[in-house]
Amino acid sequence: MNRLDLLSLLLGVYVLLYLTSVADSIKWLSLAMSSGATATISSANYCDSLVGLVKRQRRICKKNLEVMESVKLGAHEAIQECQYQFKNRRWNCSMVDPKSLFGNVLKLGTREASFVHAISAAGVAHAVTRACSSGKLTKCGCDRTVKGPSKDGFEWSGCSDNIAYGIAFSKTFVDAREKKSKKSGKNAGRRLMNLHNNEAGRLAIEQNMKVECKCHGVSGSCELRTCWRAMAPFREVGAIIKEKFDGATEVKSVMTKNHPRLVPTNPQFKPHTKYDLVYLVASPDFCEPDPKTGSFGTKGRVCNKTSKAIDGCELMCCGRGYETRKRKVVDRCFCKFHWCCYVTCQECEREIEEHTCK
Amino acid sequence: MAGVVLENLSWKKLIILGVFLLVLLITFFLVGGLVAPKPSNVVTVLGTKCYDNGKKLNRSKWFVSRGIHKCEELQNLDPTDEMIVNKSITEKQVVFSFWLPGPRGGEERKMTPLFQNMLAVLQVDIEHSDKVPLSKNPVLQLDVRLGARDEGDDEDDWKQIASSVEDRNLQCTLEKGKGEGYLYDCELLQLFELGSISNHYYLVNIRLPVNFLKGYNVGIGKVVDISIHLIHQNGGFTIVWMSMKSVLFVMVLSLLIWFWRRIMQLGRPPNLLERTLFSLGVVMSILDCPIELLQLGVDIPFMLLLNDIRQGAFYAMLMSFWVIFAGEHIMDQTERNRLSLYWKHLSAIIFGSICLFVFDMCERGIQLKNPFFSIWVTSAGTKLALAFIILAGIAAGCYFLFLCYMIFCVMKNISAKKASLPTMSQLRRKYYLGVIYRFRFLMMATLVCAACTVVFFIMSQLNEGEWRWGDEDLSLEFTSAFFTGVFGMWNIYVCGLLSLYAPSHKTVVEIDSADGSTEENVQLTQLPTTPSETSALQALTSKAAQD
């Protein structure tokens, strides 16, 4: 643990020196990788030891120490969800190393970058909301509607639901990186893109909440019915953002009245809404390894022989062809399950055919 | 010809009264819509997964989700989780712990008696997993305990309120095409209902013990999380509601006293309709009586049941009143004014009320003993509950058929009487005109009130169903306005009846003196029984001719 802490401290210093470009704005995601999942967050020093935060985020961290655990969890969930959603694509959200995360892929304003921004902003909102619900965070807001926060707010009209706080915190923390507006020149477009995609990710949560209701009037009749919003599981949020990734709009930054603005590159396309993802640069094809773009290439990737989609061998291997190998795998079968904790299975051996790209 | 206040009221006074009542009604609406918050609030608490490291199952130990006695928490229930594997934790050692309500704005929130009651529903998050499938219609068995503690108490001094082993039927669906890792869409399960809130904090501990032999908690899929949605009445709503009830209580009670004194002054025993109207007023004032205020000081767990009974009694009385009112205005020559004549209608009402009462006793009555009980969770209970509700529905249907038939009779007689009005003596004409006017007025008022109730009800339901985004731009709380508005409306209805259908004193003398008649008071609905009167004969013959 100590060695890890030292390492993260060093990395932190390194990152601080390094933080000059907006393009690195997803660096904070490396929180997901920092030390053990249950490391105690108790002192303000902790915030300084974290890798990948900007000054403003560090300040937020120090003010909201108890929330950081959830932020970490959110970042972790976001990365996992990204890898799940992209497991069949040429770029599979794989990480270069815990420090630089996805490598150079996200340095450019590609579709992939837009997805990672959206899913990470959503991940933080999701995790903070859950932590609020489980009572781990004491500071979750209690303001309510018209009259704003009042001292006896809870007694008078209850608190707003936890989602409001989760979303608000994600906005403060994740967007904090993008607030630097001194040099609004070249990077202004990228900053706008990041902010837009962060917001789109959070909106994916807000727009897909289920409304659940319960009747509890006289004798349980529906004379009195109370409804509340419930957050969709993160897997579904991920799927929704993935859909938005598929339909993302290419935009460019233009100056109107001295303010940069994003407009679709192709004027014939319908302008994007706040729910859509936007990107500035077309993605590379990710066929060959290229350190400049951060592409790993698809050599050695497993593909699906029968599929015609992107996970099919044709597309995945970029026409280079594939190798077929037969190998034996040990699988679990005839399982006996409990709802929790353990599954007792027998082991069965079977032979599978595996195709990998050349 | 004397009758009720309504007949002898000038148009001007009537309009003034009408406007006054309308203003009152709008006031009630606005009080509900602008002052009161939503009637109820929801607190969602996600269960903390506690690790019970005891060697033996110890049911008396509380697992607390936070604070200094926080349990050892499991991050994840996945079989591959490090902690699960290392400690070889089984499902018997997992306790879901909920501390209600949650902390907000930097401090622990407390429940208060102002919340009146609370209802907890359970949401089970079951992840789809090929390895742990969900069987068809699985039964979830909850080993559940409910404890409570006050703010000043020792941190681990949780007092048990109830404990039970409950079965709930799980009904879950998964959309096609959703695979590993997606959550099933499961129906909410009722957990408990409390009719009074006398503690600050509540703690719920749930275990899901597996029993392969009996098939409990087998095939319930991969449970990843459990959350509780706690619904309680809002304190603000309680305050507004109680203030309104107090005002209405005083209003109805004073009118009731005025009404009764007026009848006493008549110097004759009150007739059936007057007695019915008086009873309606009494039941209304019982319903208005803000006895819920006692809950602020005393713990009254049966308040929910009592409120249901009060409300049911009011509905039953209102329906009885309608049927007796219509019956007393039929204007055939039979001698009425006796309760026994209405046995058919009243027995339908009483039967329906008893059915609903039994149902309510089964649900809320048993909940007094075991708050986790719900009649709807077992299939036999559901059938029983449905049977009672259907019986009550049939009784209500019969009642409305009777009522409609009666109203039809009245209408028929009214048109018959109208045709023969010109041939009647002035006295008789006045009498019948009065009867017709009284009936029509009540009919219209009733229909307007009923229509308003239905419309407001639908509006509030629609309003509640769709979630409003950005609460701040909407300042009218419609659901509350519906409750205060409709409750106020029926109170005003009863007040209007009490004041307008009270026997009239003043004008009796004037008209009588104008007629030169010595007759004093004529009872509300009875025919003047002067046998020598020719017009009575005329009326009879004309009626016979029409029949």
Side-chain angles (χ1 to χ4, degrees), chain A residues 138 140-141 156 162 219 226 337-338, chain B residues 40 91 104-106 131 236 360:
Chain A
T138 55
C140 299
W156 181 264
N162 300 311
S219 312
T226 302
F337 3 76
H338 293 197
Chain B
S40 44
E91 80 287 331
R104 281 309 190 84
K131 292 210 177 68
D360 212 55

Side-chain angles (χ1 to χ4, degrees), chain A residues 14 18 20-27 91 99-100 102-110 112-114 117 187 190 193-194 280-281 291-294:
Chain A
Y14 170 73
Y18 191 72
T20 42
S21 153
V22 209
D24 294 317
S25 56
I26 207 65
K27 283 250 153 161
W91 180 72
K99 180 193 75 193
S100 50
F102 305 105
N104 284 337
V105 177
L106 304 183
K107 288 229 165 132
L108 303 166
T110 55
E112 282 74 17
S114 75
H117 275 269
N187 282 322
R190 184 63 205 275
M193 168 189 152
N194 291 347
L280 294 164
V281 190
K292 224 165 74 191
T293 59

Side-chain angles (χ1 to χ4, degrees), chain A residues 196-207:
Chain A
H196 179 99
N197 292 328
N198 289 348
E199 187 61 23
R202 287 185 290 263
L203 281 172
I205 293 186
E206 262 194 279
Q207 287 292 300

Side-chain angles (χ1 to χ4, degrees), chain B residues 19-59:
Chain B
V19 169
F20 171 70
L21 292 181
L22 197 70
V23 168
L24 209 60
L25 181 61
I26 291 170
T27 314
F28 286 136
F29 242 99
L30 292 182
V31 163
L34 296 176
V35 182
K38 277 169 83 78
S40 44
N41 180 50
V42 183
V43 177
T44 297
V45 177
L46 184 68
T48 302
K49 301 173 274 270
C50 290
Y51 168 45
D52 177 7
N53 56 6
K55 293 276 178 298
K56 269 191 196 159
L57 180 70
N58 182 4
R59 288 197 78 219

